[in-house]
Amino acid sequence: MNSTASNSFHRLVATCLLILLPLGASLADTTLTVSGVKGELKQNIELVVGKPPPAEESRQYRRYIAGLPQQSAAALSALGYYAADVQVSDRRDASSGNTVVSITVTPNDPVRINNIAIQIQGDAQDDPSYTRILDDLPIRKGNIFVSGQYESTKSLLLDQAQDLGYFQFEFSDAAVRVSRRQLTADITLTAVSGPRYTFGDIIFEQNIFSRTFLERWLPFDTGDPYESSLIGELTQNLQTSGYFQSVRVIPQQDRRYGTRVPVKVNLKTRDENEVAVGIGYSTDTRARVKLNWDKPLINRRGHSISTQFGVSRDLQNASIAYRIPRRNEPLFNYWGIEYGLLNDTTGDNDSFLGTLNFQRVSRTSTQWIESIFLRWERETFTAGDNGVEQSTDLVLPGVSYSRSRSKGSPFPTWGQSASFQIMGGSKEALSTIDFLKATGRFRYLRAISDRNTLIGTLQYGVIQSNDYPRVPITQRFFAGGDRSVRGFRYKDISPKNTDGEAVGGRFLEVANIEYNYRFLDLWSAAVFADAGRAFNNYSDGYSVGAGVGLRWQSPVGPFRIDLAVPVNDPDDVGGFRVHLSLGPDL
């Protein structure tokens, strides 16, 4: 290589090094370490001072280093450490080229609250709500003074004033005196509440319902002391009434109304007619079609009507129900009249049933749904192919209770549901036979971790009659199917006649246990075991089924596919069955 070429090569190398040198330097990092404190104190310092800029950006870096002592002290004083010592240093690591910024803190003793003087003047002075809130304030004598807790105390008092209608509430004195020498804080809060506002006129903006009917939802009257929670309660009452598509409850707080707060209620009713068509399939009833027609509003007193029609290969039904609301929450408090027809040829029996039911439905203070009813039934039925067609009339007064509770959504972490019913009839009171029936069902759900859930169910039923052969087929007990003992055909578990046909039993016992594992957000796998019997004699054995399943969390509840086999089958049917079901776990 000649000298000219050599010089050109050296200049090229030098130029490349000059270009790459800043790139190499930019790879160096600047980090922050905080020592001497931990937990909330350390986190607050890191949050306030932020991430250090690169050391190569000399002007910005120097400003950052110069501001660290003051910013760190401010972060510590916000949590009550006004006398802390802060040391700042920085160094460059020779091996890596990185710069380390260090903040070393000696927290020393914190400032503690020495005196608290909180006074409420005006109408709120004797208000029990303020007495309770003063007992639960986040600031306490002897505690470390934290400025955020002081501000939250002021906000708590102001929010309570707004909730209770003290709209002129204001602080005449709000001060904190901190002694850095004595490390104490004295807090003074004096507030003037002004008068408590009251509810004014209540204006319903609609032209469908009578005012008398709408007033049953009101949790307050004109002239009552204002309380914002009552506005929320009224909104909830109207939204759950079942009559309205949208509800807006608007307090009209305005200077021109003085200390009264009129309430405007905007209501939009549901459609006059609601029609729903459903098409489904199950392993027991095969393909089925269902039609619902509801008229949510018949008159200004809130009466409603609903009808239902269902058709499948072996089951046809039609019903009409009329509801008369009794007081607020008409979904749970109403008079009901229902008439229905059912033609059922599933299993080994044929039945045609007509029912007329009168009931009074209420929700108790413990959230049980109570139904006190009087039911008339006429059923014409044949028990097995060798049975004789007969007809039975029953007049059945009775009562039922049901309740369902759960925590967590859409996947419950805990839940339980229970239902009980007892009803009876007598030959001396228009029934063909003496008849008494009691049933109970309890279901429990418990999540043992985020993805693992156990579900258990118990069912029991008993019938007493002086003429059991005339007990209608629909009143007798059968087991087997999707919601009973899986692995068996619907209504297949039952006492049999001489031809081996299921004819129903006097007693029912069913137990289910299921384990679900959620392997994807909306998908779960299940293993289960079911055991049960519908029987006349306690010596009869249990039918046991077990299997595996798949669950998909649909918008209307879990959709289940189960593959089950009989494990202990007294009739030795054998084989396996596929069960499909849809609905909530409880």
Side-chain angles (χ1 to χ4, degrees):
M1 180 181 296
N2 58 37
S3 60
T4 301
S6 177
N7 290 338
S8 298
F9 175 75
H10 290 150
R11 284 197 298 272
L12 178 61
V13 171
T15 302
C16 290
L17 289 173
L18 289 174
I19 292 173
L20 292 174
L21 185 60
L23 296 177
S26 67
L27 297 176
D29 195 12
T30 305
T31 59
L32 173 71
T33 64
V34 179
S35 60
V37 288
K38 57 185 179 179
E40 190 177 12
L41 290 174
K42 181 179 180 181
Q43 293 172 5
N44 206 42
I45 291 173
E46 293 172 340
L47 180 64
V48 170
V49 303
K51 185 179 179 180
E56 287 74 21
E57 300 177 10
S58 56
R59 181 176 298 179
Q60 185 179 357
Y61 178 74
R62 287 196 300 269
R63 284 201 302 267
Y64 176 80
I65 295 296
L68 284 181
Q70 183 179 356
Q71 289 182 313
S72 300
L76 291 164
S77 62
L79 297 176
Y81 289 82
Y82 285 77
D85 294 323
V86 178
Q87 300 294 327
V88 177
S89 63
D90 63 333
R91 62 181 179 82
R92 183 182 293 272
D93 189 299
S95 60
S96 65
N98 294 337
T99 299
V100 179
V101 178
S102 299
I103 301 176
T104 304
V105 178
T106 304
N108 297 320
D109 292 333
V111 170
R112 295 188 178 274
I113 300 173
N114 183 45
N115 289 308
I116 303 175
I118 299 178
Q119 185 178 8
I120 308 294
Q121 300 173 350
D123 290 357
Q125 184 174 359
D126 299 321
D127 193 318
S129 297
Y130 269 102
T131 303
R132 289 192 298 269
I133 202 171
L134 291 175
D135 292 337
D136 297 326
L137 292 177
I139 54 176
R140 287 280 191 278
K141 185 175 180 178
N143 286 0
I144 296 174
F145 172 71
V146 179
S147 59
Q149 292 180 350
Y150 166 72
E151 294 299 332
S152 66
T153 296
K154 292 171 61 179
S155 297
L156 196 61
L157 294 171
L158 282 168
D159 291 345
Q160 184 77 349
Q162 294 297 308
D163 290 343
L164 294 177
Y166 295 102
F167 296 118
Q168 298 178 22
F169 186 99
E170 61 182 1
F171 290 105
S172 59
D173 187 11
V176 179
R177 295 170 180 83
V178 175
S179 171
R180 295 177 182 270
R181 178 178 298 177
Q182 298 179 358
L183 297 179
T184 59
D186 297 326
I187 299 174
T188 302
L189 282 174
T190 303
V192 180
S193 70
R196 186 174 186 180
Y197 285 45
T198 59
F199 286 108
D201 295 334
I202 302 163
I203 306 160
F204 292 100
E205 294 194 335
Q206 57 83 47
N207 57 4
I208 303 296
F209 297 98
S210 67
R211 183 175 180 87
T212 302
F213 176 73
L214 291 172
E215 284 177 346
R216 70 179 60 193
W217 278 281
L218 291 175
F220 57 84
D221 293 321
T222 298
D224 286 352
Y226 181 88
E227 191 171 340
S228 63
S229 64
L230 297 178
I231 296 293
E233 186 177 342
L234 174 58
T235 303
Q236 181 71 14
N237 289 346
L238 293 169
Q239 286 176 339
T240 58
S241 69
Y243 292 108
F244 306 108
Q245 183 175 334
S246 66
V247 175
R248 292 183 62 205
V249 181
I250 310 166
Q252 304 290 299
Q253 184 193 344
D254 195 289
R255 185 178 302 173
R256 57 185 167 170
Y257 301 125
T259 59
R260 289 229 163 184
V261 183
V263 178
K264 184 182 293 185
V265 183
N266 293 325
L267 301 171
K268 183 179 179 181
T269 57
R270 292 165 57 184
D271 294 336
E272 291 187 6
N273 295 280
E274 298 180 351
V275 178
V277 178
I279 300 175
Y281 178 88
S282 73
T283 54
D284 299 308
T285 61
R286 307 301 180 186
R288 62 184 183 272
V289 178
K290 184 171 69 174
L291 173 66
N292 286 1
W293 170 67
D294 295 333
K295 195 170 182 63
L297 186 61
I298 299 293
N299 53 37
R300 292 170 59 84
R301 294 181 298 279
H303 296 197
S304 62
I305 191 171
S306 62
T307 60
Q308 183 181 101
F309 304 91
V311 178
S312 67
R313 185 189 65 179
D314 299 321
L315 192 69
Q316 302 84 42
N317 68 284
S319 65
I320 181 168
Y322 193 89
R323 286 188 177 185
I324 304 171
R326 294 190 299 109
R327 55 176 191 261
N328 63 347
E329 295 185 312
L331 290 176
F332 309 108
N333 298 281
Y334 60 88
W335 297 101
I337 306 171
E338 183 175 3
Y339 179 72
L341 296 172
L342 172 69
N343 184 52
D344 186 356
T345 57
T346 58
D348 299 321
N349 309 289
D350 294 340
S351 168
F352 184 80
L353 172 67
T355 62
L356 179 62
N357 189 55
F358 300 89
Q359 62 178 336
R360 177 187 183 272
V361 177
S362 305
R363 183 158 67 172
T364 69
S365 58
T366 53
Q367 304 303 301
W368 286 91
I369 303 302
E370 175 192 74
S371 174
I372 301 173
F373 59 85
L374 177 63
R375 179 181 303 162
W376 168 82
E377 297 185 355
R378 170 170 290 175
E379 183 168 349
T380 302
F381 61 96
T382 302
D385 290 340
N386 64 350
V388 177
E389 183 177 276
Q390 53 189 327
S391 181
T392 298
D393 287 309
L394 293 175
V395 177
L396 302 171
V399 62
S400 69
Y401 289 90
S402 64
R403 183 174 69 175
S404 180
R405 299 179 294 172
S406 64
K407 297 178 182 178
S409 179
F411 299 101
T413 57
W414 172 90
Q416 65 178 29
S417 64
S419 60
F420 311 94
Q421 183 183 82
I422 184 168
M423 58 184 177
S426 170
K427 291 180 65 175
E428 298 179 358
L430 305 179
S431 292
T432 305
I433 57 175
D434 293 335
F435 176 81
L436 180 66
K437 181 178 182 179
T439 58
R441 181 180 184 271
F442 179 77
R443 190 168 175 86
Y444 184 78
L445 179 150
R446 182 76 177 187
I448 55 179
S449 70
D450 288 343
R451 295 184 176 274
N452 298 274
T453 303
L454 290 174
I455 305 173
T457 308
L458 292 173
Q459 298 180 66
Y460 187 77
V462 58
I463 293 172
Q464 294 292 334
S465 176
N466 64 336
D467 189 359
Y468 183 76
R470 298 203 66 178
V471 172
I473 287 295
T474 58
Q475 292 290 359
R476 301 183 191 183
F477 293 116
F478 296 84
D482 302 338
R483 293 299 181 111
S484 182
V485 182
R486 287 162 287 190
F488 295 83
R489 189 164 58 95
Y490 180 57
K491 291 185 175 182
D492 194 51
I493 302 172
S494 158
K496 304 295 196 293
N497 61 13
T498 55
D499 291 335
E501 298 164 328
V503 294
R506 295 173 178 265
F507 307 101
L508 174 71
E509 294 175 352
V510 175
N512 315 89
I513 185 69
E514 178 173 308
Y515 163 73
N516 285 351
Y517 173 70
R518 183 158 56 92
F519 59 89
L520 290 175
D521 286 345
L522 297 178
W523 292 89
S524 302
V527 293
F528 56 84
D530 304 332
R533 58 179 180 169
F535 60 101
N536 292 328
N537 300 303
Y538 280 92
S539 59
D540 293 350
Y542 289 89
S543 295
V544 179
V548 296
L550 191 64
R551 308 306 182 234
W552 172 60
Q553 186 68 32
S554 77
V556 293
F559 174 70
R560 307 173 188 85
I561 303 176
D562 290 326
L563 179 64
V565 296
V567 175
N568 176 25
D569 183 6
D571 297 321
D572 194 27
V573 173
F576 67 88
R577 294 189 66 80
V578 177
H579 298 277
L580 307 176
S581 62
L582 174 66
D585 285 323
L586 296 172

